[in-house]
Amino acid sequence: MSTASFPEGFVWGVSTSAFQIEGATAADGRRPSIWDTFSADRAEACDHYHRYPEDVRLMKDLGMAAYRFSVSWARILPDGRGKPNAAGLDFYDRLLDELGAAGITAYATLYHWDLPQAVEDLGGWPARDTASLFADYAAAVHERLGDRVDTWFTLNEPWVAAFLGYGSGIHAPGRKSAAEAFRSAHHMLLAHGLGVQALRSAGAAKVGTVLNLSPVMTPAQVSDFGRTLSEEDAEAVARIDALVNRQFLEPMLRGAYPAELLPIVERHGGLGHVHDGDLEAIAQPLDLLGVNYYTPLVVQAQPSEPADPAHPGSEGILFCTIPTAVTAMGWPIVPSCLSHLLGRVSREYPDLDLMVTENGADFVDVVTGDGIHDVERISFIEEHLRAVRAAVEDGARVRGYLVWTLLDNLEWADGYQRKFGLVHVDFATQRRRLKDSALWYRDVIRRNGLTETRPKRPTLETVAARSGVSRATVSRVVNGESSVSPEVRAAVMQAVNELGYVPNLAARSLVTRRTNAIALVLSVPRQGGDALTAAVVQYVTSLLEGAGKQITLMLADTAESHRRIVAHLEARLADGVVLLPPDRADTLAERLSRTGVPIVLLGKPAIASLVPYVDVDNAGGAAAATEHLLALGRRRIGMVCGPTDLITVQDRLAGHRAALQRAGLRPHLALAELTRSSGAAATRRLLGDDPSLDAVFAATDQLAIGALQAAREAGKRVPEDLAVVGFDDIDAASATTPGLTTVRVPVADQALALARLLLSRLEGRHTTSVVLPTRLVVRESA
């Protein structure tokens, strides 16, 4: 079979990071990093600190030419400064010797997010001195290890460390300040420049850095890179590109910040942290730029949109979800964007060598007796390698590809639930097991390339021919039916193992009579749920049809229609059901669940354990809205509550009450139907009961708009006299006067989660209900 080869000398390998795999967090003088503080109970990871010989042996057996690892600053300088810890350096000495003996080239990253807690206590990355401490650390590491490291990378993904760690607070150290995020980003850049100088002075031959780069585009551009944009969308794309990509590329490689970035930084805390000479220090010549790519950033102009906390300065820009295949983390899979990205960087910086230093995916792996058949991961890596090869053929200077990652590990704030590894780790025993993707990657390395045409995966027919039985018999063996004789079962399983066959839905269809049809059942329309219903129809249909399913749209609005839908399922005319439940109690979900056909619900049912569902954190959103009013100094807060037989209203009421209770306050409620006029009437009752009321939280935006009307009628100024907050962020919320502060529910994400949840159930995977986070959108009304 012909091979789509990569250039001679192309580097194949894997990447890891210290905190995610090493463990031994208190061994041999190591002291806490910010991640030990942030996730103190989950840091033993893969015990690579003691098991590194086994892990190096795995890499050697797989044919890896390169291993990119990170050095733990807290292991080398436990206090962040001072005399190096010899025991910590000894570990990396042993690791490098082991790599050298295995013939594996070492690529060392000096900073992969694990700042010593002692340095954070001194001010962390927002403090300028941290950059100088980093340079001292770089020099100390090179002095001991420099003779065996091929290439030094200063930083890994400074955007993530700065803007998720100090901006949104979802990463360590958990600070939430746009000003600190921008200062941290600049000081990381300065640390990079000073670190490069220190490494060069010590004799380092090859020095680079690693950036997470994402093509920024509109939804339409994802399938058409050349699509002409409106002026508003073009500005949105350019602004996010400056915030995420060019904020780091241009200072490092051109010695200047993007012009459109500086006003944003100045608005969020000034530019006093940028000193004369900084940019010259940052712009040190580099030998290699590491590119970490996972998914594109998809945006479009949306005038009423508030800034995302991780992207300060992104006001008026909507971050979009696109209807495409996604990883288990929900990240869209778009391999063509990697070609696009590598081509762009090579065109803009033509003398710079590139290496893909991270690319991989989290999928749900199932451990079976005959292996871990992670076909989704193989497909993901294969398609991205084809994208890399296309970029190389077009002239991109890509010198290698490193998979993220070698081992299933501790995935930062997500703990151990994410599985990116080529090698499965049982964290109870630390046993390593190669997944199919590891063996497949070994073959790619041996060939130095991919097969020119994608090999046809073994089919049911192939197995039947090899074992000399019928397709139906193979299907019965795959499904574990006891009617098959042991001799026939043995022959079929031998063929399965020899061919590397992975049973799929087709193999099971002969027994289970699968139809590849899905019933999308729309019950009584949800109040105010038009946008959500439309999104479900759009995205669920798109994803399920992309997975080879046929969609049957069914309306459940009468008792007769309920009977017809149940009969449809009992006759096995559909493989699964996506059900949009009614606002009030209904027995349809219970009746459908008795048919045995996999069902997923939109919205939490009255009996939550009935079937898996997708919902949003209604209680958490209501609590956030109430806490926002409390933070504004409002103490006499009334709630316009919808009908309390609705599950969503119950949850929102519970969140509101819990927030008030924590503040030592009691709720003031007025019940209403889900209409504007009812919201206005309820607000009038609240104001009549308590004329000194200073805030209203409404269970929906429609009710909140009614509250605004009642406030005007009562001569109340909003927000001076009466602050108003709603829930849902319907289109009208941004058009009210004043603009309505509200809680946004992720409409598209709910629809995508429904489709993914049903596909998982159809594949027989373990599934649990999905509750998505909400986000407070602050506008003028509060």
Side-chain angles (χ1 to χ4, degrees):
M1 188 174 291
S2 59
T3 300
S5 297
F6 282 74
E8 185 177 351
F10 192 82
V11 177
W12 300 96
V14 288
S15 288
T16 66
S17 86
F19 182 77
Q20 292 180 272
I21 67 168
E22 285 182 3
T25 54
D28 298 330
R30 183 190 182 278
R31 294 188 61 194
S33 73
I34 55 176
W35 275 97
D36 294 286
T37 304
F38 198 71
S39 56
D41 61 334
R42 302 184 298 190
E44 289 314 301
C46 309
D47 195 27
H48 177 74
Y49 189 80
H50 298 109
R51 297 173 183 269
Y52 69 90
E54 177 185 358
D55 295 336
V56 173
R57 188 162 57 250
L58 283 172
M59 288 187 279
K60 180 181 179 181
D61 291 346
L62 293 171
M64 306 289 182
Y67 177 46
R68 173 181 166 248
F69 63 96
S70 77
V71 179
S72 168
W73 189 345
R75 205 178 287 286
I76 306 305
L77 295 170
D79 294 319
R81 54 187 174 175
K83 183 180 178 180
N85 174 30
L89 286 165
D90 287 345
F91 164 68
Y92 296 104
D93 247 339
R94 297 190 297 271
L95 174 61
L96 287 168
D97 286 346
E98 197 81 20
L99 291 169
I104 298 172
T105 301
Y107 291 73
T109 305
L110 287 168
Y111 185 70
H112 198 129
W113 307 351
D114 49 354
L115 187 72
Q117 183 61 44
V119 178
E120 174 65 16
D121 293 341
L122 294 172
W125 283 112
R128 185 177 181 84
D129 288 346
T130 303
S132 298
L133 294 178
F134 175 81
D136 295 340
Y137 157 63
V141 175
H142 184 276
E143 182 178 355
R144 179 74 175 274
L145 309 176
D147 58 327
R148 283 154 294 164
V149 173
D150 177 272
T151 301
W152 294 92
F153 292 116
T154 54
L155 308 174
N156 177 81
E157 300 187 355
W159 181 87
V160 174
F163 289 91
L164 299 189
Y166 292 89
S168 69
I170 64 174
H171 274 202
R175 295 203 221 174
K176 298 180 180 180
S177 165
E180 289 188 344
F182 282 119
R183 284 201 299 273
S184 296
H186 179 73
H187 293 149
M188 287 181 199
L189 286 167
L190 183 59
H192 158 78
L194 298 178
V196 173
Q197 290 176 344
L199 291 167
R200 299 279 193 209
S201 298
K206 299 178 186 176
V207 183
T209 198
V210 175
L211 301 178
N212 57 298
L213 299 176
S214 296
V216 184
M217 52 189 62
T218 64
Q221 284 182 307
V222 173
S223 56
D224 180 7
F225 294 151
R227 175 71 65 94
T228 301
L229 300 181
S230 67
E231 184 177 340
E232 295 79 10
D233 279 346
E235 189 278 331
V237 167
R239 192 173 358 138
I240 298 303
D241 186 54
L243 285 166
V244 175
N245 297 321
R246 289 184 288 128
Q247 180 171 189
F248 300 93
L249 281 169
E250 295 192 9
M252 287 178 168
L253 302 174
R254 290 179 176 163
Y257 278 116
E260 62 265 54
L261 181 72
L262 294 177
I264 297 174
V265 178
E266 188 165 27
R267 190 169 73 247
H268 286 87
L271 292 166
H273 58 284
V274 182
H275 293 189
D276 290 344
D278 281 2
L279 288 163
E280 289 78 3
I282 292 167
Q284 299 297 309
L286 298 181
D287 301 293
L288 187 64
L289 175 65
V291 175
N292 292 355
Y293 170 78
Y294 292 95
T295 192
L297 272 171
V298 184
V299 302
Q300 66 186 36
Q302 183 79 26
S304 62
E305 190 72 13
D308 185 293
H311 302 84
S314 61
E315 298 88 353
I317 298 174
L318 177 68
F319 289 83
C320 305
T321 303
I322 53 176
T324 187
V326 295
T327 69
M329 291 186 77
W331 295 350
I333 301 172
V334 191
S336 58
C337 282
L338 178 55
S339 295
H340 180 69
L341 172 65
L342 295 171
R344 169 197 167 178
V345 176
S346 280
R347 286 190 300 273
E348 294 183 1
Y349 307 97
D351 299 326
L352 183 63
D353 282 352
L354 308 178
M355 175 179 277
V356 177
T357 39
E358 287 186 27
N359 179 238
D362 167 40
F363 290 109
V364 178
D365 295 327
V366 178
V367 180
T368 68
D370 64 342
I372 302 164
H373 307 302
D374 55 337
V375 292
E376 293 171 308
R377 185 171 292 103
I378 293 172
S379 176
F380 180 97
I381 298 173
E382 178 179 5
E383 293 305 318
H384 284 81
L385 281 175
R386 293 190 186 280
V388 172
R389 185 171 182 270
V392 170
E393 289 180 337
D394 287 341
R397 295 168 59 106
V398 185
R399 304 308 185 213
Y401 177 90
L402 309 181
V403 171
W404 183 269
T405 179
L406 176 66
L407 305 167
D408 288 342
N409 56 33
L410 197 166
E411 184 54 32
W412 305 109
D414 284 334
Y416 294 110
Q417 66 176 312
R418 302 301 180 188
K419 308 297 181 185
F420 279 87
L422 299 174
V423 177
H424 175 268
V425 177
D426 181 335
F427 292 103
T429 64
Q430 291 296 340
R431 180 190 177 192
R432 274 79 160 138
R433 292 184 66 183
L434 298 178
K435 303 177 187 178
D436 285 358
S437 57
L439 303 174
W440 174 86
Y441 191 48
R442 176 196 62 192
D443 294 340
V444 170
I445 295 170
R446 286 176 178 173
R447 288 192 302 263
N448 191 39
L450 302 160
T451 54
E452 188 68 53
T453 56
R454 295 167 177 78
K456 293 183 178 178
R457 292 194 174 96
T459 63
L460 199 66
E461 290 77 6
T462 313
V463 177
R466 173 71 66 91
S467 55
V469 299
S470 68
R471 293 171 69 250
T473 299
V474 173
S475 181
R476 291 189 179 93
V477 172
V478 166
N479 284 275
E481 284 199 358
S482 59
S483 61
V484 183
S485 71
E487 296 78 15
V488 171
R489 182 180 305 281
V492 171
M493 291 311 300
Q494 181 178 348
V496 166
N497 292 330
E498 288 174 352
L499 293 167
Y501 174 66
V502 179
N504 56 18
L505 293 179
R508 301 182 179 99
S509 65
L510 295 178
V511 173
T512 61
R513 293 181 294 166
R514 287 191 179 268
T515 65
N516 281 332
I518 301 297
L520 178 55
V521 179
L522 307 179
S523 56
V524 178
R526 298 164 62 92
Q527 288 285 348
D530 293 345
L532 185 56
T533 301
V536 168
V537 172
Q538 175 188 352
Y539 288 116
V540 169
T541 300
S542 176
L543 280 183
L544 293 180
E545 286 183 344
K549 311 298 180 185
Q550 297 178 343
I551 306 301
T552 301
L553 194 62
M554 307 183 80
L555 184 62
D557 57 346
T558 64
E560 173 57 27
S561 66
H562 286 200
R563 187 202 62 75
R564 176 172 43 82
I565 293 166
V566 172
H568 187 84
L569 271 291
E570 288 175 338
R572 290 299 187 269
L573 298 178
D575 295 338
V577 179
V578 177
L579 173 62
L580 278 65
D583 285 326
R584 288 174 168 81
D586 195 306
T587 62
L588 180 59
E590 181 181 359
R591 293 167 65 192
L592 291 177
S593 70
R594 294 184 192 139
T595 68
V597 176
I599 303 172
V600 295
L601 301 182
L602 177 65
K604 184 170 71 174
I607 305 174
S609 61
L610 184 65
V611 291
Y613 63 86
V614 173
D615 205 349
V616 298
D617 186 4
N618 287 295
T626 306
E627 287 164 358
H628 175 70
L629 291 169
L630 292 167
L632 295 176
R634 310 297 170 127
R635 288 296 180 272
R636 306 189 71 82
I637 304 172
M639 180 178 180
V640 176
C641 189
T644 54
D645 59 338
L646 304 183
I647 303 300
T648 54
V649 172
Q650 292 173 16
D651 286 349
R652 292 173 189 183
L653 175 56
H656 173 70
R657 279 176 164 159
L660 289 179
Q661 185 176 18
R662 287 191 292 270
L665 301 175
R666 298 179 63 183
H668 303 278
L669 305 178
L671 297 181
E673 288 300 319
L674 297 178
T675 63
R676 295 186 186 185
S677 59
S678 184
T683 303
R684 285 192 288 269
R685 292 198 301 275
L686 284 171
L687 291 171
D689 293 340
D690 185 358
S692 61
L693 199 75
D694 59 11
V696 169
F697 169 57
T700 71
D701 284 346
Q702 294 286 8
L703 294 174
I705 293 171
L708 291 175
Q709 175 187 336
R712 284 193 298 270
E713 293 170 353
K716 298 280 188 180
R717 297 172 302 163
V718 178
E720 292 85 354
D721 302 326
L722 186 72
V724 178
V725 178
F727 204 118
D728 288 328
D729 198 25
I730 63 175
D731 288 343
S734 61
T736 60
T737 304
L740 181 64
T741 291
T742 184
V743 177
R744 171 167 301 161
V745 297
V747 171
D749 288 350
Q750 288 181 80
L752 291 169
L754 275 171
R756 293 197 294 268
L757 188 59
L758 183 61
L759 287 173
S760 293
R761 295 206 71 196
L762 293 176
E763 291 287 354
R765 299 175 186 164
H766 174 70
T767 55
T768 58
S769 297
V770 176
V771 178
L772 298 167
T774 54
R775 180 159 69 89
L776 186 68
V777 180
V778 178
R779 299 193 181 99
E780 294 80 6
S781 74

